Amino acid sequence: MTKLNINETPHRRYNPLTGEWILVSPHRTKRPWKGKSEQENIQDKLQYDPNCYLCPANIRANGIKNPDYKNTFVFKNDFAALLPDSGQDEFNHKNLLKAQGVEGTSRVICFSPRHDLTLAEMSTEEIKMVISLWINQTRELGQKYKWIQIFENKGAIMGCSNPHPHGQIWTGSELPNEAKKEMKNQGEYFEKNKTQLLIDYAKIEQNEKKRIVAENSEWMVVVPFWATWPYETLLLPKKQVARLSDLTKNQINELSNILKIFLVKYDNLFSISFPYTMGWHQAPFQKENSEYWTLHAHFYPPLLRSATVKKFMVGYEMLAEAQRDITAEQAADTLKQLSEIHYKLNRNRENK
Ligand code: H2U
Ligand code: ZN
């Protein structure tokens, strides 16, 4: 029998959070590539855009005027995907046609009044205000809803409608699919081992040091062993914490530091404002103990080889299972080597 070499031979890796497998084909990275490599449009963005619906004091699509906010700003999504009073009735026809009403709310969260910034270019103090916003929203919405999904779609390639730095919060009375999978797997692991799945995983990463992109006293960012997207990362606490609303002062400080560092690295990878979808997974707000759940954030960037070469989840991925070529270890190594100084600052220095 051939011995498995995860750096060379095709294999599948297991994602213990979702219970799903992914196909890794490291030998394919040797194949010739004739893709284009583009230069980013270096045009500087406006600090204030009179046509932006998120800039302070501007009018939104439905005629409401934004306040002249100075730090962060939250408002109910004018085109909310979930509504608070839609009812939770169930429909079931022969156990084949099933539906259920879901109640919830959708909010838009602006990270900064500055139209031209992103989290990567904001200061750690400014990032801390975004963290406070995430925490306060979690506290408030957790009183009413089971699942609080905080996320950010960044970049036009991810379907983001506006470059103004912003994210969203969708909450619901039912647990969505990803939440259910993570709840089941973390719950079963805790029952069996009396320790948390992701805290044990963080210890393995700490020992192996093969997939860590950045770390400090409270957090680490890894390309998870089971990553699907080429430069996917997982942001993990080193000590158990179930929700954003339970973070200590030190965890908050260090969170703003690590976000700054690794988001700058992301931008530096292809010298562009790096597109991704990111989101927090925190323990559902249910009555039971939430000790089994470790707070974490997923970052899913779509890019593969350059500013414009995107990985598509099609063909085998849609019909069978996710697949990647570069290994998690190679991706982590590339990200780790990148500078912690934003490429735009370097460019400004060079121009002086
Ligand atoms: P993205 O993060 O994917 O760009 O979505 C922005 C959200 O902003 C989107 O869900 C909302 C859209 O419904 N929006 C408003 O609430 N008011 C507006 O005036 C325009 C967009
Ligand atoms: Zn704006």
Side-chain angles (χ1 to χ4, degrees):
M1 205 168 48
T2 331
K3 194 167 180 299
L4 172 62
N5 177 346
I6 61 166
N7 300 313
E8 298 278 344
T9 43
H11 60 280
R12 295 166 84 220
R13 295 194 187 189
Y14 179 66
N15 180 340
L17 269 179
T18 59
E20 286 158 3
W21 292 80
I22 121 134
L23 175 64
V24 187
S25 321
H27 59 295
R28 291 213 331 157
T29 50
K30 293 183 184 107
R31 81 188 194 279
W33 172 252
K34 274 208 186 151
K36 337 179 245 180
S37 73
E38 276 95 327
Q39 278 293 313
E40 184 204 13
N41 179 1
I42 340 182
Q43 207 180 8
D44 280 328
K45 279 193 276 167
L46 298 166
Q47 292 193 10
Y48 165 77
D49 177 352
N51 297 315
C52 167
Y53 60 83
L54 298 176
C55 273
N58 283 1
I59 312 257
R60 298 208 301 274
N62 61 358
I64 297 176
K65 187 178 169 157
N66 292 332
D68 188 14
Y69 65 98
K70 303 292 177 211
N71 299 305
T72 58
F73 168 51
V74 190
F75 63 93
K76 188 176 117 351
N77 196 313
D78 302 316
F79 310 94
L82 291 131
L83 299 170
D85 309 310
S86 40
Q88 295 182 45
D89 271 0
E90 304 224 341
F91 165 88
N92 187 336
H93 184 62
K94 300 194 173 183
N95 262 337
L96 282 174
L97 309 187
K98 291 205 246 182
Q100 61 181 188
V102 56
E103 294 186 327
T105 188
S106 312
R107 293 179 178 176
V108 179
I109 49 177
C110 299
F111 299 159
S112 162
R114 284 264 306 264
H115 185 80
D116 59 328
L117 292 183
T118 63
L119 283 175
E121 291 169 84
M122 285 161 61
S123 68
T124 51
E125 281 311 305
E126 290 165 335
I127 294 175
K128 237 194 274 180
M129 291 195 211
V130 177
I131 300 172
S132 293
L133 178 80
W134 290 336
I135 292 172
N136 293 336
Q137 291 293 308
T138 298
R139 249 184 221 134
E140 181 202 324
L141 293 164
Q143 311 268 332
K144 193 157 175 211
Y145 297 108
K146 255 190 221 168
W147 186 249
I148 315 295
Q149 187 58 63
I150 298 175
F151 64 97
E152 176 189 7
N153 278 335
K154 180 169 174 259
I157 203 170
M158 291 310 274
C160 176
S161 58
N162 185 335
H164 194 113
H166 71 284
Q168 297 194 46
I169 307 180
W170 293 21
T171 68
S173 53
E174 288 299 325
L175 287 189
N177 297 336
E178 293 303 303
K180 225 176 246 169
K181 285 185 249 175
E182 291 197 357
M183 182 163 99
K184 177 175 179 284
N185 288 302
Q186 290 184 95
E188 286 175 3
Y189 186 95
F190 188 76
E191 217 163 89
K192 198 165 153 203
N193 302 288
K194 305 287 173 257
T195 51
Q196 290 92 1
L197 190 158
L198 283 178
I199 296 294
D200 286 356
Y201 173 62
K203 285 183 189 149
I204 295 178
E205 292 296 358
Q206 190 99 56
N207 287 334
E208 287 198 10
K209 297 215 184 310
K210 279 188 196 151
R211 286 168 294 269
I212 299 180
V213 172
E215 68 173 318
N216 61 30
S217 62
E218 298 283 1
W219 299 89
M220 73 168 68
V221 174
V222 299
V223 177
F225 180 76
W226 53 83
T228 298
W229 293 94
Y231 293 96
E232 173 179 336
T233 54
L234 180 65
L235 170 59
L236 285 172
K238 289 186 174 174
K239 286 194 286 286
Q240 173 57 20
V241 56
R243 298 189 182 107
L244 285 161
S245 45
D246 300 326
L247 290 177
T248 64
K249 220 172 156 195
N250 201 42
Q251 282 173 317
I252 294 171
N253 284 337
E254 292 290 55
L255 178 57
S256 67
N257 291 333
I258 201 158
L259 278 168
K260 173 79 193 172
I261 286 175
F262 104 90
L263 292 177
V264 164
K265 283 176 180 285
Y266 258 176
D267 278 10
N268 285 346
L269 181 61
F270 299 130
S271 297
I272 49 153
S273 180
F274 200 59
Y276 56 71
T277 272
M278 73 77 66
W280 285 101
H281 279 165
Q282 40 187 340
F285 281 88
Q286 287 177 320
K287 288 206 175 59
E288 321 125 41
N289 193 335
S290 51
E291 201 184 0
Y292 70 95
W293 186 290
T294 304
L295 169 74
H296 58 279
H298 297 280
F299 287 78
Y300 299 130
L303 295 181
L304 177 58
R305 284 188 189 84
S306 76
T308 50
V309 178
K310 185 181 180 291
K311 167 160 179 75
F312 288 97
M313 291 284 185
V314 294
Y316 194 79
E317 275 102 343
M318 284 186 90
L319 293 157
E321 68 189 9
Q323 184 272 347
R324 65 181 288 134
D325 293 347
I326 56 165
T327 63
E329 294 74 30
Q330 288 166 337
D333 201 47
T334 304
L335 289 171
K336 192 169 81 179
Q337 313 274 348
L338 291 166
S339 168
E340 290 179 12
I341 298 169
H342 200 271
Y343 71 91
K344 281 190 191 164
L345 294 176
N346 267 336
R347 196 157 56 199
N348 289 344
R349 266 186 215 154
E350 282 160 19
N351 291 342
K352 269 184 193 144

